[in-house]
Amino acid sequence: MNDKALCRSCGSQDLEIFYEVGDVPAHSVLLMPTRDTAVSYPRGDIALAFCSNCGFIANVAFDPCLLEYSQQYEETQGFSPTYGAFARRLAAHLISRYDLHDRDIIEIGCGKGEFLALLCEIGGNRGVGFDPSYVEGRLNGATRHPVTFIKDYYSEKYADYHADFFCCRMTLEHIQNVDEFVGIVRRAIGQRKDTTIFFQVPNVSRILRDLAFWDIYYEHCSYFSVGSLARLFARHAFDVLDVWTDYDDQYLMLEAVPGCATSAEEQRDDILDLARDVITFQRNCPAKISKWKEQLRSIRESHQRAVIWGSGSKAVAFLTTLRVERAIGYVVDINPHRHGTFLAGTGELIVPPSFLKEYRPDVVIIMNAVYRDEIGKALDELDLSPRILTL
Ligand SMILES: [Zn+2]
């Protein structure tokens, strides 16, 4: 690590690297049209460092120049009924808690716009979504309420777009200068004290405790716990109303309003717990990686047909960390936009579930336990009963 590396959340120098993976694909959900593009895609290194001052965890080897968030960025999880139900439940919660009716909503990093459309549809609101990877015509049916999309990163230059509610889901973890970014949002809100913000990010405490090495990938350069997320917003004069976990503890959600209190910094002090989790992860993760390597080698050596279910970033991180070649035949995904493309890094072809009818896999490795029932049902419908392994 560069001696001068500073925590991008609190500015402290108290950073300690505890996990490294070299040479991983810079992007994991960008659509790769050929196997060659997939395996030769630009790579970078991961060196996760823990800040013992504020609890923030970051990839200090991250180089933002390697990333491109174009329309080829295919991140949506909206094709999963499990995820769809979660998104609807979350939208209904936010609408009811903050009385979001006939309001202006900004979503930063809105992806293909599904969640913003949901907030506008259910609550009768007006929305503006920012995302360079937005694609026109992907929303099913026009929403009855006005939603505008701006194909750009949200920045200072959009500070004159006012909103009653700011929403930012699964975006902050892609941003390197998190302190600067939260500052931009805070300045955009200015003195409008009746504005509410909602942020959703992966929960690093769960990643550390579950030794979930598949949840650490290049696109995610910033990792938060309940405490480190609350402290970042408190430092920018937000009063944090609530921080909670959802989706099997995988996501962290923060609700806040502009305030003045930095005293909230003292709340949710989880730094000692985090430091302990970091040490446990550092100590036990290598054995977990070895165990999975063994599993994949044994699948390959016994000539079993194995597929991975879920072609998102977890699959890329799982396979590029393990580096066991020729163990996995295909990667299955229910998102039709990904079919016929290739997994970044290792180059497996992404196929629809119906492909398995003929391929008849012996083993299916599920990338997220949350989808275990949904995938089990799909396999039943295909009349298949492979051995199922779940991360
Ligand atoms: Zn820090």
Side-chain angles (χ1 to χ4, degrees):
M1 181 181 61
N2 173 351
D3 283 346
K4 290 184 195 122
L6 297 178
C7 172
R8 305 262 186 179
S9 183
C10 75
S12 150
Q13 287 190 340
D14 304 332
L15 299 182
E16 194 77 52
I17 293 177
F18 67 95
Y19 179 70
E20 290 180 86
V21 195
D23 211 25
V24 299
H27 262 301
S28 36
V29 296
L30 212 57
L31 295 176
M32 303 287 171
T34 65
R35 182 167 277 124
D36 271 357
T37 353
V39 295
S40 61
Y41 197 77
R43 290 172 181 253
D45 298 327
I46 292 175
L48 282 197
F50 171 62
C51 170
S52 55
N53 184 54
C54 76
F56 179 59
I57 290 173
N59 175 10
V60 291
F62 181 75
D63 174 4
C65 300
L66 287 174
L67 297 188
E68 46 167 327
Y69 288 106
S70 66
Q71 293 186 346
Q72 293 306 105
Y73 190 76
E74 186 55 48
E75 78 295 1
T76 189
Q77 292 164 288
F79 291 96
S80 154
T82 310
Y83 189 83
F86 160 71
R88 279 190 301 278
R89 179 164 55 81
L90 178 62
H93 157 79
L94 294 172
I95 287 167
S96 123
R97 182 159 188 185
Y98 298 105
D99 189 22
L100 300 179
H101 298 281
D102 195 23
R103 301 292 179 92
D104 292 302
I105 296 177
I106 283 178
E107 184 171 10
I108 301 170
C110 64
K112 307 295 180 267
E114 298 106 322
F115 192 71
L116 182 60
L118 204 55
L119 287 174
C120 292
E121 193 68 38
I122 303 176
N125 297 301
R126 299 166 293 276
V128 180
F130 292 85
D131 205 308
S133 80
Y134 174 73
V135 181
E136 293 91 348
R138 278 280 292 273
L139 286 172
N140 283 338
T143 141
R144 285 180 288 116
H145 299 278
V147 188
T148 313
F149 293 99
I150 294 171
K151 268 192 272 183
D152 196 3
Y153 296 100
Y154 180 78
S155 68
E156 210 93 65
K157 73 175 180 202
Y158 296 111
D160 53 347
Y161 279 78
H162 294 166
D164 303 296
F165 189 78
F166 277 75
C167 174
C168 182
R169 300 173 64 230
M170 309 313 279
T171 296
L172 192 60
E173 67 276 18
H174 296 255
I175 292 168
Q176 186 179 32
N177 289 316
V178 293
D179 181 60
E180 182 186 297
F181 182 77
V182 175
I184 289 172
V185 175
R186 183 66 187 85
R187 285 192 295 279
I189 293 171
Q191 293 310 308
R192 288 187 299 278
K193 301 277 184 193
D194 52 352
T195 307
T196 309
I197 61 157
F198 172 77
F199 273 68
Q200 178 188 325
V201 293
N203 173 16
V204 80
S205 300
R206 204 260 329 157
I207 295 174
L208 295 173
R209 280 181 217 143
D210 289 359
L211 311 175
F213 62 86
W214 50 85
D215 277 328
I216 297 166
Y217 36 86
Y218 200 78
E219 284 167 28
H220 286 185
C221 49
S222 298
Y223 297 80
F224 294 93
S225 67
V226 165
S228 65
L229 189 65
R231 281 185 287 278
L232 170 61
F233 283 85
R235 278 196 299 276
H236 285 278
F238 279 106
D239 286 336
V240 177
L241 303 174
D242 204 358
V243 197
W244 39 287
T245 65
D246 206 324
Y247 220 54
D248 222 8
D249 254 8
Q250 296 187 30
Y251 299 147
L252 263 185
M253 333 290 248
L254 173 138
E255 297 168 7
V257 290
C260 50
T262 48
S263 61
E265 274 197 59
E266 302 311 316
Q267 295 167 13
R268 305 177 177 93
D269 184 1
D270 59 0
I271 291 183
L272 288 179
D273 289 343
L274 266 176
R276 228 179 349 249
D277 290 342
V278 162
I279 290 169
T280 309
F281 182 90
Q282 189 173 29
R283 203 174 281 155
N284 298 336
C285 198
K288 180 135 183 180
I289 291 173
S290 301
K291 201 180 125 223
W292 273 109
K293 277 186 178 173
E294 259 332 291
Q295 290 254 36
L296 291 196
R297 283 192 196 115
S298 117
I299 286 170
R300 181 180 62 196
E301 270 134 45
S302 56
H303 305 288
Q304 296 178 71
R305 284 190 297 266
V307 299
I308 275 183
W309 194 303
S311 72
S313 302
K314 289 174 198 280
V316 173
F318 181 72
L319 290 176
T320 52
T321 306
L322 297 178
R323 291 169 205 240
V324 178
E325 286 172 13
R326 302 185 315 281
I328 302 297
Y330 296 90
V331 176
V332 181
D333 207 291
I334 54 172
N335 179 347
H337 300 286
R338 302 186 64 86
H339 299 157
T341 67
F342 296 83
L343 201 67
T346 45
E348 287 81 6
L349 178 63
I350 301 171
V351 296
S354 59
F355 175 87
L356 300 186
K357 192 114 183 119
E358 231 167 83
Y359 185 65
R360 306 199 72 79
D362 303 301
V363 183
V364 171
I365 309 178
I366 296 178
M367 289 293 107
N368 191 340
V370 134
Y371 303 118
R372 176 75 176 72
D373 289 350
E374 187 180 312
I375 294 169
K377 252 180 237 152
L379 289 169
D380 283 349
E381 278 163 22
L382 292 164
D383 215 11
L384 297 169
S385 42
R387 181 158 67 103
I388 291 182
L389 302 175
T390 307
L391 296 192

